[in-house]
Amino acid sequence: MAEDLVLDTAIRDWVLIPLSVVMVLIGILRYFVSKLMRSSNQVPDPKMVKEGQVIIRARNLRAAANYIPAKSFRARRVYFSNEENGLLYVPKGQAQNAQAQMFSDPNMAMDMMKKNLSMIIPQTLTFAWVNFFFSGFVAAKIPFPLTQRFRSMLQNGIDLSTVDVSYVSSRSWYFLNLFGLRGLFSLILGEENATDDTQRMMQMSGFGFDPTKSLGAEKDSLDIFQHEWALPKFEQRAEAVLKKLVVSVPTPVAETIKTEEVKTVVEASKEEKVAATPAHEVVTEEQKQVTKEEVAEEQVQVTEEEVVTEEQKQVTEEEVAPEVVKEKQEEATKEEVAAPPAEKPAAPEAETKELAEEAVPEEAVAKDETKEPVEEKIEAEAPKEAVIDETKEEEAPKFTEEEKPAAKEE
Amino acid sequence: MAFQSLTTPKSDLLLALKNGLCMNKWPVAAMDTQRLDMAKDYVKVLQEKFPESKRVGRLEALLLEAMGLWEEAEKAYSSLLEDNELDPVIHKRRVAMAKAQGNISGAIEWLNKYLEIFMADHDAWRELAEIYVSLQMYKQAAFCYEELILSQPTIPLYHLAYADVLYTLGGIENLHMAKKYYASTIDLTGGKHTRALFGVCLSTSAIDQLTKGRNKDDKENSQLASLSATALGKDYKQRAPNKVSLLASTLRSLKLSS
């Protein structure tokens, strides 16, 4: 049943655009009128001002609470929601009073009346004008399909029941503009403009006393809030930032130089047991990606160097670390390295990437000391394994040797 | 604006004022540059034009303040306040007057009263924090800086100031917190803020000094300090190469003392 009605472009020129323009102009007019009418008795009630400020402060507290220490947050929370003299605490009796007071105070009532009038009259007039002049024809097509229920609302002037509900009359265009031009008005007229009908309609329709309700709401949300101090995370982030800053200095001049740097970094970090691993992981990652594109020669060079470092590392391990620790580490390395050779049938380059990715999030988690050298070994071995069998064969006898003492101990 | 008003001939300006242009700014500009005679003329013109205006009343009181007649200014402000109890500008002028007269505790009092009502005014909190720091009342200053961080958590300046105050207060807890806030400053400024880098090094060494006997946590704290030391070295090499040796010796002494 979806026939395509072709709508005359004259409709667009003479209905849609003029209607929008008229509404914008009326909105601006209303803004200035309300400004003029508002002038004289604007002595702000001290209580209202204070409550407004309290709400803003409480909201700030909730928004940024994770940036201040837990103690201060708790102190402030008590200050706000304390039963007796907390700022946000409003006993129920008071709420009722305020409402009654609002209505009996003649000034306030007059103000509200004026505001309402300035809102309602232009709306009514415009609506009547639209109905009178722009009814009885299809004005626009809504781009999405609608159910039949909307027919009475959107198609009031069109008395054909076979027309698709997407074709609407100009009344719906009026409503669309009414709610949609709010954004435009806040752009043109700055923040507080009287054309914020919809907001005020929502507020005043229940005739609730605003400050009291919002105070209560703030208090509740503050009570619920869980404080999670974000500062320790910041420390780590600062480290990351600094690392990036510091490491990015050695710009890659030649591949060999880079690998040597990697080697030295790996050794140095291992000595101190400080995890500069993320730094050199970054570098090795880059290096890996580059080596992928490079010739096999390059990789052979790399692997040779890393084999050397591997041996060196194991030597230093045996010299420095105590016996038990050494055994544990070697077991661990055996396990870890045993895993990659098991995966060897998979594409080796994909494997290097996987390991790199595994290693990087691992680094983010709190590390064990045993894990650190292991990770480095993975990093060191990954490019190696990507290419050559000989290293694996070298490793294999080493494993068997180490397996034996481990087995013997057990 | 101020310079314009100083160079154009007087009659033109008065004429312009009579026609209501920039009525607020020129008298204030004149007072800022200590041309009190010009300011007086402006204010007189404005008074004729707008006899009962609040703004002109404020300008008059401001003029009295600029001339140093404190009592008259005080009276003028109080009378203005009677009409309109909640004018934030007048309250702040009172605080400024107290501060200018050297009556710092009075300034604190007025400012606290102001903040009881207008507690979301972050400029006022900042002023209060600076006053407290100048009086070495660091706990209160810390509170004010917390307020500032709450209202604008992404401004590194407040983190840095808070860290400074915590570091000055001292004690292991505060030093740890100070280090964290220096770290957050580094994070917010991309690692380039020299003072924050120094702060990290100093607080780390202070913490080490205090926990010399215990050797509890050797987690990852050394990273941050060594990284910031490296970053500092880089920075100095780039910007002040003749001071690199000074920096190196300072950093070494920090590490040695720990």
Side-chain angles (χ1 to χ4, degrees), chain B residues 78-108:
Chain B
S78 334
S79 70
L80 280 173
L81 269 184
E82 275 172 16
D83 297 334
N84 176 14
E85 283 195 7
L86 291 179
D87 193 352
V89 184
I90 298 186
H91 281 274
K92 288 195 205 177
R93 283 314 321 161
R94 255 212 298 220
V95 173
M97 260 199 334
K99 201 171 172 202
Q101 287 174 286
N103 179 11
I104 302 259
S105 46
I108 293 185

Side-chain angles (χ1 to χ4, degrees), chain B residues 160-179:
Chain B
L160 187 66
Y162 188 45
D164 280 340
V165 167
L166 286 173
Y167 183 79
T168 317
L169 275 175
I172 264 285
E173 275 276 335
N174 288 334
L175 283 174
H176 272 296
M177 289 213 300
K179 191 163 79 149

Side-chain angles (χ1 to χ4, degrees), chain A residues 35-332:
Chain A
K35 255 197 160 177
L36 282 174
M37 287 210 309
R38 213 192 331 158
S39 57
S40 54
N41 54 347
Q42 265 303 311
V43 181
D45 188 19
K47 247 184 113 205
M48 301 263 295
V49 167
K50 181 171 178 182
E51 279 169 359
Q53 298 272 321
V54 165
I55 290 175
I56 295 179
R57 191 175 167 196
R59 214 178 295 151
N60 281 337
L61 177 64
R62 243 188 324 134
N66 292 327
Y67 289 95
I68 57 172
K71 226 184 346 167
S72 336
F73 173 74
R74 259 176 275 136
R76 282 182 168 81
R77 182 156 67 176
V78 165
Y79 176 57
F80 274 117
S81 45
N82 190 9
E83 283 285 311
E84 286 150 30
N85 52 3
L87 291 181
L88 292 178
Y89 184 67
V90 180
K92 295 206 175 91
Q94 237 183 35
Q96 286 293 336
N97 264 351
Q99 204 180 32
Q101 187 193 31
M102 189 168 78
F103 285 126
S104 61
D105 186 11
N107 275 343
M108 281 276 285
M110 273 301 293
D111 263 347
M112 273 183 54
M113 283 279 296
K114 270 194 227 168
K115 273 191 223 153
N116 281 337
L117 277 181
S118 80
M119 222 189 299
I120 291 181
I121 288 190
Q123 266 189 30
T124 324
L125 285 177
T126 319
F127 189 52
W129 175 69
V130 166
N131 265 344
F132 182 64
F133 280 109
F134 298 112
S135 63
F137 60 92
V138 170
K141 180 180 192 298
I142 298 186
F144 45 84
L146 289 173
T147 61
Q148 298 298 318
R149 293 300 219 152
F150 290 98
R151 191 181 286 276
S152 57
M153 181 168 75
L154 299 174
Q155 283 191 346
N156 69 315
I158 307 167
D159 295 325
L160 294 174
S161 56
T162 54
V163 175
D164 205 355
V165 190
S166 307
Y167 291 99
V168 299
S169 69
S170 34
R171 195 194 273 192
S172 51
W173 178 247
Y174 167 74
F175 279 117
L176 193 72
N177 273 322
L178 188 64
F179 293 114
L181 282 174
R182 225 185 345 140
L184 189 65
F185 282 135
S186 49
L187 268 182
I188 305 179
L189 303 174
E191 287 304 324
E192 285 190 18
N193 43 25
T195 54
D196 247 353
D197 301 346
T198 44
Q199 255 186 17
R200 206 166 289 134
M201 271 199 288
M202 288 189 270
Q203 270 184 359
M204 290 305 188
S205 59
F207 278 123
F209 190 66
D210 293 332
T212 312
K213 274 219 179 108
S214 34
L215 280 185
E218 284 293 330
K219 174 169 177 291
D220 290 334
S221 22
L222 197 58
D223 280 337
I224 293 177
F225 187 79
Q226 294 277 0
H227 180 258
E228 240 188 63
W229 199 22
L231 262 298
K233 221 191 327 163
F234 268 110
E235 243 188 284
Q236 287 174 14
R237 278 183 22 189
E239 287 173 24
V241 164
L242 280 179
K243 273 171 200 154
K244 237 184 283 174
L245 206 60
V246 168
V247 171
S248 65
V249 167
T251 54
V253 178
E255 285 303 308
T256 50
I257 297 182
K258 231 192 229 156
T259 57
E260 284 183 42
E261 283 185 9
V262 168
K263 190 174 43 157
T264 49
V265 169
V266 163
E267 283 184 357
S269 62
K270 213 184 160 301
E271 288 290 331
E272 298 176 8
K273 282 189 185 158
V274 170
T277 42
H280 99 276
E281 274 171 4
V282 167
V283 177
T284 48
E285 253 194 5
E286 289 172 24
Q287 175 209 339
K288 261 177 271 169
Q289 291 177 359
V290 175
T291 52
K292 254 174 41 179
E293 304 162 13
E294 292 285 323
V295 190
E297 275 190 356
E298 221 35 56
Q299 291 171 337
V300 170
Q301 233 181 2
V302 167
T303 55
E304 284 178 1
E305 287 174 352
E306 307 232 61
V307 167
V308 173
T309 56
E310 186 68 59
E311 293 179 358
Q312 280 183 0
K313 266 187 288 186
Q314 293 202 344
V315 166
T316 52
E317 259 197 288
E318 289 170 4
E319 286 175 359
V320 174
E323 279 284 297
V324 180
V325 177
K326 178 193 75 175
E327 292 289 357
K328 270 203 204 148
Q329 280 180 344
E330 287 173 346
E331 271 189 17

Side-chain angles (χ1 to χ4, degrees), chain B residues 91-249:
Chain B
H91 281 274
K92 288 195 205 177
R93 283 314 321 161
R94 255 212 298 220
V95 173
M97 260 199 334
K99 201 171 172 202
Q101 287 174 286
N103 179 11
I104 302 259
S105 46
I108 293 185
E109 220 184 277
W110 285 122
L111 198 46
N112 270 320
K113 275 207 208 125
Y114 171 73
L115 277 172
E116 263 180 29
I117 307 182
F118 293 94
M119 38 178 82
D121 184 354
H122 61 93
D123 274 335
W125 282 111
R126 190 169 168 195
E127 184 65 34
L128 189 60
E130 283 173 10
I131 293 182
Y132 277 138
V133 166
S134 74
L135 289 179
Q136 300 184 339
M137 300 164 68
Y138 292 119
K139 280 216 185 101
Q140 289 88 335
F143 183 83
C144 298
Y145 278 123
E146 280 164 11
E147 283 292 325
L148 284 171
I149 293 183
L150 278 180
S151 58
Q152 291 167 320
T154 52
I155 295 190
L157 179 64
Y158 299 147
H159 286 256
L160 187 66
Y162 188 45
D164 280 340
V165 167
L166 286 173
Y167 183 79
T168 317
L169 275 175
I172 264 285
E173 275 276 335
N174 288 334
L175 283 174
H176 272 296
M177 289 213 300
K179 191 163 79 149
K180 294 197 165 72
Y181 278 101
Y182 280 125
S184 75
T185 313
I186 294 180
D187 182 38
L188 287 170
T189 56
K192 304 238 179 80
H193 201 294
T194 318
R195 198 162 156 179
L197 292 168
F198 266 121
V200 166
C201 299
L202 282 174
S203 44
T204 315
S205 85
I207 291 177
D208 286 338
Q209 268 190 333
L210 283 181
T211 61
K212 212 186 293 195
R214 283 184 235 156
N215 267 342
K216 264 199 310 187
D217 50 320
D218 219 47
K219 286 184 295 195
E220 304 160 20
N221 299 338
S222 50
Q223 282 179 61
L224 192 54
S226 53
L227 280 172
S228 29
T230 330
L232 271 173
K234 245 185 56 181
D235 200 25
Y236 267 71
K237 247 183 260 183
Q238 273 182 355
R239 290 202 273 177
N242 48 343
K243 300 221 170 94
V244 174
S245 53
L246 203 62
L247 173 72
S249 57

